[in-house]
Amino acid sequence: MSITSNAGGSISQEELTANINEDVNLDKVRNLQDHYKRVALGGGKNAIAKHKEKGKLTARERIALLLDDKNDFLEIGTFTAEGMYAEYGGCPSAGVVCGIGKISGRQCMIIANDATVKAGAWFPMTGKKNLRAQEIAMENHLPLIYLVDSAGVFLPMQDEIFPDKEHFGRIFRNNAVISAKGIPQIAAIMGACVAGGAYLPIMSDEALIVEGTGSVFLAGPYLVKSAIGEEVDAETLGGAVTHSEISGVTDYKMKDDVSCLEKVRYLVGQLGPQPKAGFNRIESKGPKTKNNDILRILPDERTKPYDMRELLKCIVDDSILEEYKEGYGKTIITAYARIDGWAVGIVANQRMVSKTKKGEMQFGGVIYSDSADKAAHFIMNCNQKKIPLIFFQDVTGFMVGSKSEQAGIIKDGAKMVNAMSNSTVPKLTFIVGNSYGAGNYAMCGKAYDPRMIFAWPTAQIAVMGGAQAAKTLLQIQVAALQKKGETIDPKVEADLLKEITDKYNAQLSPYYAAARLWVDDIIDPRSTRSIISKAIEAADNNPEIQPYRLGVIRT
């Protein structure tokens, strides 16, 4: 079928659909870029101006000066705390900028407090983001660079950040564990470093402090006055001269931010060689299918089918997928491929509706017994061969109904979850579209320790789809009223359904997930290939791959 265009030519239905897809997906990418621009301003233009008046660079400027290439930075948690803490004026990016970049040729994890956001104070999500950055560094044996500029715990929320296992104090425990693992940690004190936060830089291997702006103390001048009656200024109490020439707490006294960052680059450049895991890599070949075609393949609506193979061909070297059990378990694609030269194993949900040999229909995005069985075996093979695994999620869950239950869907699903949970090779996850229910788990969701997990702007993450959930929740509420002998007006019922649907749909958003660090970041789909390459390069720094063992599996 062809359609006449305004220019007088004709366009096929396929091309028209691709154009519509591209327009919709480009709009989502532009929205992502707009979100990023807002977040990158931190506390806003006025706060940045005040920060610079003190002779300090912003967190992002500091990172840019540290990096070999300021454009080669894999940021983590950009949208953390998005839409949260409104009663306190918000906390863009959780008041800290984190990510992986190369310094003097060495991949490092950088954690930089953003003092333009509430003076760099620690909110609950600030702690969670810092812990996530440390976790990534530990898993991948990446040197850690801390650019410290923080007023400490945000006191109005101290009960949610101070005492628990996953709170503020865990960071210092991690400092000790990271050091014991032989992973270098360098801290640059470029602003305030107060109370418990004073331990972070001093538990690092080396600490630098900037004259005039850097300070470290367990209690600031006001608290000292209140506690013991002593009157002392911040510089005398814990400034650069005090800690570099009297207490010996810090190792290097630097005149300004720029010289401090130059010294950090020098120190990283002195690090010894890092043993590698030795993941297989050959010369890289670009995909034959254009990278931009990803946006033309992804449908304009989440419910529409598409061929995941075509999408993967935009990402893998030479657009070649060597499929494992191609004709079996068709709702999951398992394939060997290379991405930027790295050997990878891919596990991806297939959204096309297909027919089995028996003539039965299999619905796209659903995991059937045969698909789960195939995926489990493939995951075992990749572990046997020391091949990193890449999961591409667009899954509505496992198949339900009497036929599936009798076929043992729970047993086969458990087998897949077991194989994936015990996987010891690096796992990376990309949420392309739907990520619902147990499908999120089986396809290596956040709870299953992927080395990194990213969402595309097209992602939706929840127990089930919005329409299903809203109708289910409505039925529960209506049933509760009926038990009381009450009836509900159809218009009131329709309004209630809309209210439930709107609330649930807001929670489906990838920004909602990213705000809570269910994903490490939301990315432009076209950057997926380069991110995979950087992530595997990072994973290659950890040579300690444990033997692959499984527990009890029902067969």
Side-chain angles (χ1 to χ4, degrees):
M1 177 182 176
S2 63
I3 297 171
T4 302
S5 71
N6 291 336
S10 62
I11 183 172
S12 67
Q13 182 62 52
E14 185 180 68
E15 180 70 11
L16 179 63
T17 299
N19 288 342
I20 292 170
N21 291 345
E22 186 173 27
D23 287 344
V24 169
N25 290 315
L26 271 175
D27 190 54
K28 290 179 179 176
V29 170
R30 291 188 196 101
N31 185 44
L32 172 65
Q33 292 166 344
D34 289 341
H35 265 75
Y36 177 81
K37 288 175 184 175
R38 288 197 298 273
V39 167
L41 284 173
K45 292 180 180 179
N46 290 338
I48 290 172
K50 290 178 182 177
H51 182 81
K52 286 179 171 290
E53 284 173 6
K54 299 173 185 176
K56 300 199 290 185
L57 299 171
T58 66
R60 292 182 184 277
E61 287 172 337
R62 288 166 176 168
I63 291 171
L65 281 176
L66 262 186
L67 296 174
D68 297 345
D69 179 357
K70 67 180 181 181
N71 297 314
D72 187 24
F73 182 58
L74 178 52
E75 190 164 346
I76 301 297
T78 308
F79 304 104
T80 308
E82 172 95 350
M84 300 173 70
Y85 312 127
E87 65 273 36
Y88 301 112
C91 186
S93 213
V96 63
V97 183
C98 305
I100 298 170
K102 284 188 177 177
I103 302 172
S104 298
R106 185 76 164 259
Q107 267 190 326
C108 298
M109 172 62 77
I110 303 168
I111 301 176
N113 297 117
D114 185 352
T116 70
V117 180
K118 298 290 189 295
W122 290 63
F123 284 71
M125 289 307 300
T126 314
K128 186 173 182 178
K129 182 172 174 178
N130 275 260
L131 289 171
R132 176 58 179 153
Q134 285 184 322
E135 179 183 35
I136 291 170
M138 282 191 279
E139 288 177 334
N140 297 289
H141 281 209
L142 297 176
L144 268 154
I145 312 299
Y146 303 100
L147 305 182
V148 187
D149 194 347
S150 171
V153 165
F154 186 65
L155 290 177
M157 303 189 75
Q158 65 86 26
D159 62 321
E160 296 181 48
I161 182 63
F162 170 63
D164 211 345
K165 181 179 178 180
E166 300 303 326
H167 285 177
F168 191 52
R170 185 76 173 184
I171 291 162
F172 315 135
R173 174 265 184 195
N174 285 353
N175 286 139
V177 171
I178 290 165
S179 184
K181 288 178 177 288
I183 301 171
Q185 298 177 92
I186 299 171
I189 302 162
M190 310 180 83
C193 193
V194 184
Y199 287 105
L200 185 149
I202 310 312
M203 292 191 73
S204 298
D205 304 332
E206 293 183 279
L208 305 85
I209 186 167
V210 177
E211 289 185 87
T213 57
S215 59
V216 187
F217 31 65
L218 293 180
Y222 293 116
L223 185 53
V224 168
K225 168 76 171 176
S226 173
I228 65 173
E230 180 186 1
E231 292 192 17
V232 60
D233 62 85
E235 191 64 27
T236 303
L237 184 63
V241 172
T242 295
H243 286 310
S244 296
E245 300 177 13
I246 301 173
S247 72
V249 166
T250 57
D251 307 308
Y252 307 94
K253 181 177 67 174
M254 310 307 302
K255 66 177 183 179
D256 54 27
D257 279 12
V258 173
S259 61
C260 183
L261 296 167
E262 287 174 352
K263 178 70 81 171
V264 173
R265 283 184 54 80
Y266 173 82
L267 294 173
V268 174
Q270 294 292 304
L271 296 177
Q274 171 66 36
K276 301 293 183 183
F279 298 123
N280 187 297
R281 192 181 196 186
I282 62 173
E283 184 181 351
S284 174
K285 293 182 180 179
K288 289 181 179 176
T289 305
K290 293 178 183 177
N291 187 252
N292 211 56
D293 282 355
I294 290 175
L295 303 183
R296 296 172 62 78
I297 294 166
L298 278 171
D300 60 325
E301 295 177 15
R302 296 297 334 117
T303 54
K304 292 182 179 179
Y306 64 95
D307 192 344
M308 177 63 83
R309 287 183 183 86
E310 296 306 311
L311 188 149
L312 295 174
K313 287 176 182 177
C314 301
I315 297 168
V316 303
D317 286 14
D318 222 15
S319 297
I320 293 175
L321 294 167
E322 296 291 346
E323 287 201 50
Y324 172 82
K325 291 184 180 288
E326 182 179 358
Y328 177 69
K330 292 184 178 181
T331 63
I332 285 184
I333 296 167
T334 50
Y336 298 108
R338 288 191 181 272
I339 296 177
D340 197 23
W342 295 103
V344 299
I346 293 173
V347 181
N349 301 112
Q350 173 61 293
R351 286 297 306 273
M352 294 294 287
V353 177
S354 61
K355 280 188 177 182
T356 66
K357 289 182 179 179
K358 297 178 182 179
E360 300 164 327
M361 298 303 293
Q362 287 198 327
F363 298 98
V366 180
I367 302 175
Y368 288 75
S369 288
D370 54 358
S371 304
D373 176 65
K374 175 174 80 169
H377 201 170
F378 181 73
I379 289 167
M380 295 179 208
N381 281 345
C382 287
N383 276 271
Q384 184 82 352
K385 298 175 180 180
K386 299 290 190 291
I387 298 174
L389 282 159
I390 318 294
F391 292 83
F392 287 90
Q393 288 196 15
D394 195 343
V395 57
T396 53
F398 285 85
M399 191 60 190
V400 297
S402 59
K403 188 173 182 180
S404 292
E405 298 293 356
Q406 291 165 14
I409 184 67
I410 298 175
K411 176 183 65 178
D412 289 318
K415 184 194 302 182
M416 180 180 174
V417 171
N418 197 321
M420 183 272 303
S421 299
N422 286 294
S423 176
T424 58
V425 296
K427 299 175 291 190
L428 304 173
T429 302
F430 293 85
I431 302 177
V432 172
N434 303 322
S435 180
Y436 297 157
N440 170 281
Y441 301 161
M443 291 294 293
C444 197
K446 182 66 182 290
Y448 292 84
D449 296 329
R451 290 286 179 98
M452 291 186 219
I453 176 170
F454 297 95
W456 291 4
T458 48
Q460 292 186 341
I461 305 165
V463 171
M464 63 181 73
Q468 294 168 290
K471 288 176 183 175
T472 302
L473 290 167
L474 178 66
Q475 287 170 5
I476 292 169
Q477 292 193 28
V478 170
L481 289 170
Q482 288 174 342
K483 280 185 180 180
K484 295 177 183 178
E486 300 177 21
T487 58
I488 185 168
D489 182 86
K491 185 181 183 307
V492 173
E493 184 174 337
D495 290 342
L496 185 57
L497 177 62
K498 183 181 184 305
E499 180 185 334
I500 294 170
T501 302
D502 290 346
K503 181 179 178 181
Y504 198 89
N505 283 340
Q507 295 176 358
L508 283 171
S509 165
Y511 294 97
Y512 189 91
R516 289 152 184 80
L517 274 178
W518 300 346
V519 295
D520 290 319
D521 227 333
I522 307 170
I523 63 167
D524 184 333
R526 296 167 295 184
S527 65
T528 301
R529 175 180 162 85
S530 65
I531 287 174
I532 290 171
S533 181
K534 290 173 189 173
I536 297 177
E537 183 182 358
D540 200 41
N541 286 300
N542 185 354
E544 301 170 6
I545 299 178
Q546 300 301 314
Y548 184 55
R549 297 189 180 94
L550 292 177
V552 175
I553 294 181
R554 298 179 187 273
T555 57

